[in-house]
Amino acid sequence: MRGGLWQLGQSVTRRLAQAEKKVIARRCFASEADLKKTALYDFHVANGGKMVPFAGWSMPIQYKDSIMDSTINCRENGSLFDVAHMCGLSLKGKDCIPFLEKLVVGDIAGLAPGTGTLSVLTNEKGGAIDDTVITKVTDDHIYLVVNAGCREKDLAHIEEHMKAFKAKGGDVSWHIHDERSLLALQGPLAAPVLQHLTKEDLSQVYFGQFTFLDINGFPCYLTRTGYTGEDGFEISVPNEYAVDLAKAMLEKSEGKVRLTGLGARDSLRLEAGLCLYGNDLEQHITPIEAGLTWAVGKRRRAEGGFLGAEVILKQIADGPPQRRVGFISSGPPARGHSEIQNEKGESIGEITSGGFSPCLKKNIAMGYVKSGNHKAGTKVNILVRGKPYEGVVTKMPFVPT
């Protein structure tokens, strides 16, 4: 979710131990007039949201409670996130699936209607242009959500290939859902709270499923998914109903579900071992190196046909040169670009995300190491401000999903 969020997340741990207001103020470097605002902007401000520039939008990094408290409350009760800065779009037409399969690694044709999957948009070298959640609504309607920080390059990439596809007679068109907002309700109370607002039986909506339904009387798209490692939903609602829906969900929780900002969202996804584009996933990193081999469908492995397939399929067969792994470390929290060394002092990789885990009360991190150094239990040294600190390669997720 997510490009650029790492820049905010790198200061999460410092904020837990230092004066948070000073850190936030340093991040407010863009003119407020230059930033886009979601339909909930005034609602955030009225509820004490600390607004910061993020991917061209003014977004809340936290509210009145600390990032640590918000993280723990999401795992114990629930959180409501405004993620309307992300870009939802629909592809339609009888050829929308074969078109999309030229751009992503997933087996979209093999999805049952109303189900979705995480996938990756790739370039000719097999690198990740973006990660995206793709839902097959029907055989001629695909709904996907791409990251806010990647919106412009993603849309340009899709449009370029769509023009070429249509020039050859392909039937595909698209619609960008700027008329809708996206809310993420996450945590153990997500389903019970949302059930109060809809007649549909949410126990029959399983992880990864998508459906159209009325919530609080408003026409919504509902996907059971999230970016926290908790149960939850992403709800696409017309902009004019977004504030009323947010208020209704908070009220039905009787104060247990809280508005939550980007700071806790970063610590939650890190605890869940989830990639952050622009940090753990970039254009020079393949899905195989990123530990997303599972996202390459079995049929796609046999047939190829997507951008960068030659590189990706070779890495599946022979193994990638580097791998994304998790770490528990001592000393100060490791930050992005911190060097990773083996016990002999040889450089074997670098950290891409790191911080203090509010739930585990330990330093956790993700990074890339040369293949052969990736097994759980491997001891390493992580350099923080030039000084080595002990660490160990750890299985992810750090906090059970």
Side-chain angles (χ1 to χ4, degrees):
M1 259 263 329
R2 306 153 170 62
L5 179 53
W6 69 275
Q7 293 175 318
L8 302 177
Q10 298 310 301
S11 64
V12 168
T13 302
R14 289 197 298 275
R15 280 196 298 276
L16 298 177
Q18 300 173 0
E20 293 177 345
K21 290 183 179 180
K22 294 180 180 179
V23 178
I24 299 296
R26 286 200 298 271
R27 294 214 175 268
C28 294
F29 51 84
S31 168
E32 188 72 19
D34 297 332
L35 299 173
K36 291 179 281 187
K37 298 176 181 178
T38 73
L40 273 73
Y41 174 84
D42 291 337
F43 184 64
H44 296 313
V45 173
N47 282 274
K50 298 178 181 179
M51 311 303 289
V52 299
F54 173 67
W57 295 77
S58 181
M59 298 296 293
I61 192 168
Q62 70 180 101
Y63 295 84
K64 296 174 183 177
D65 48 355
S66 70
I67 290 170
M68 177 175 279
D69 288 343
S70 291
T71 302
I72 293 171
N73 186 69
C74 181
R75 301 229 184 272
E76 293 182 348
N77 297 299
S79 290
L80 179 62
F81 301 91
D82 177 5
V83 289
H85 58 309
M86 296 181 68
C87 179
L89 61 143
S90 287
L91 297 173
K92 293 188 176 182
K94 66 180 180 64
D95 299 320
C96 66
I97 292 176
F99 165 70
L100 185 59
E101 285 195 344
K102 292 180 178 294
L103 307 183
V104 303
V105 300
D107 182 1
I108 311 306
L111 291 172
T115 65
T117 183
L118 176 75
S119 195
V120 181
L121 286 156
T122 51
N123 58 32
E124 289 80 358
K125 296 181 180 180
I129 293 174
D130 199 4
D131 58 322
T132 175
V133 174
I134 299 173
T135 299
K136 179 182 178 181
V137 182
T138 64
D139 286 334
D140 58 4
H141 180 191
I142 298 295
Y143 173 70
L144 61 155
V145 178
V146 300
N147 289 308
C150 299
R151 173 180 170 132
E152 298 307 321
K153 70 171 181 177
D154 288 359
L155 296 184
H157 176 74
I158 294 169
E159 184 176 32
E160 176 189 356
H161 286 274
M162 187 183 298
K163 286 180 178 178
F165 187 82
K166 293 175 73 172
K168 295 179 180 179
D171 177 23
V172 61
S173 61
W174 67 347
H175 174 74
I176 301 164
H177 291 289
D178 287 338
E179 79 285 359
R180 305 184 74 88
S181 292
L182 192 63
L183 303 177
L185 181 63
Q186 300 284 292
L189 296 183
V193 166
L194 199 60
Q195 190 63 75
H196 287 299
L197 301 174
T198 183
K199 296 178 181 178
E200 301 292 330
D201 183 0
L202 297 180
S203 70
Q204 299 305 303
V205 180
Y206 300 104
F207 182 81
Q209 286 191 322
F210 171 96
T211 187
F212 297 104
L213 76 172
D214 281 358
I215 302 176
N216 202 39
F218 311 137
C220 296
Y221 308 164
L222 181 77
T223 308
R224 196 157 199 166
T225 187
Y227 192 51
T228 62
E230 298 296 322
D231 184 23
F233 304 87
E234 290 188 355
I235 307 158
S236 174
V237 58
N239 289 331
E240 60 268 31
Y241 304 132
V243 172
D244 287 342
L245 180 56
K247 288 179 179 178
M249 288 188 285
L250 294 171
E251 288 169 3
K252 290 298 182 182
S253 80
E254 299 178 341
K256 292 182 179 180
V257 171
R258 301 178 193 167
L259 283 169
T260 309
L262 296 176
R265 191 167 175 81
D266 193 49
S267 56
L268 287 159
R269 71 91 195 169
L270 179 56
E271 289 182 339
L274 299 174
C275 287
L276 176 62
Y277 194 89
N279 202 22
D280 312 295
L281 198 59
E282 296 194 50
Q283 297 211 51
H284 63 277
I285 296 173
T286 71
I288 313 309
E289 293 169 331
L292 300 176
T293 303
W294 60 268
V296 185
K298 184 178 180 180
R299 177 177 61 84
R300 309 309 308 278
R301 299 184 195 194
E303 299 176 2
F306 51 89
L307 291 175
E310 183 177 344
V311 173
I312 289 172
L313 298 182
K314 188 175 189 302
Q315 287 190 355
I316 291 176
D318 301 340
Q322 62 175 356
R323 299 172 188 262
R324 178 175 64 95
V325 295
F327 302 93
I328 299 289
S329 65
S330 62
R335 302 298 180 190
H337 304 297
S338 295
E339 183 181 345
I340 304 166
Q341 297 179 344
N342 61 20
E343 290 186 291
K344 297 178 181 178
E346 299 166 332
S347 180
I348 57 171
E350 72 171 24
I351 298 296
T352 52
S353 289
F356 181 77
S357 165
C359 294
L360 299 179
K361 306 296 188 291
K362 297 178 180 178
N363 297 330
I364 60 175
M366 291 192 293
Y368 285 83
V369 296
K370 295 177 183 177
S371 288
N373 300 276
H374 61 281
K375 293 184 179 179
T378 300
K379 293 182 179 179
V380 299
N381 289 316
I382 300 173
L383 271 59
V384 180
R385 292 188 288 276
K387 184 177 178 180
Y389 294 92
E390 292 181 353
V392 61
V393 175
T394 308
K395 290 184 178 180
M396 296 184 287
F398 300 101
V399 174
T401 53

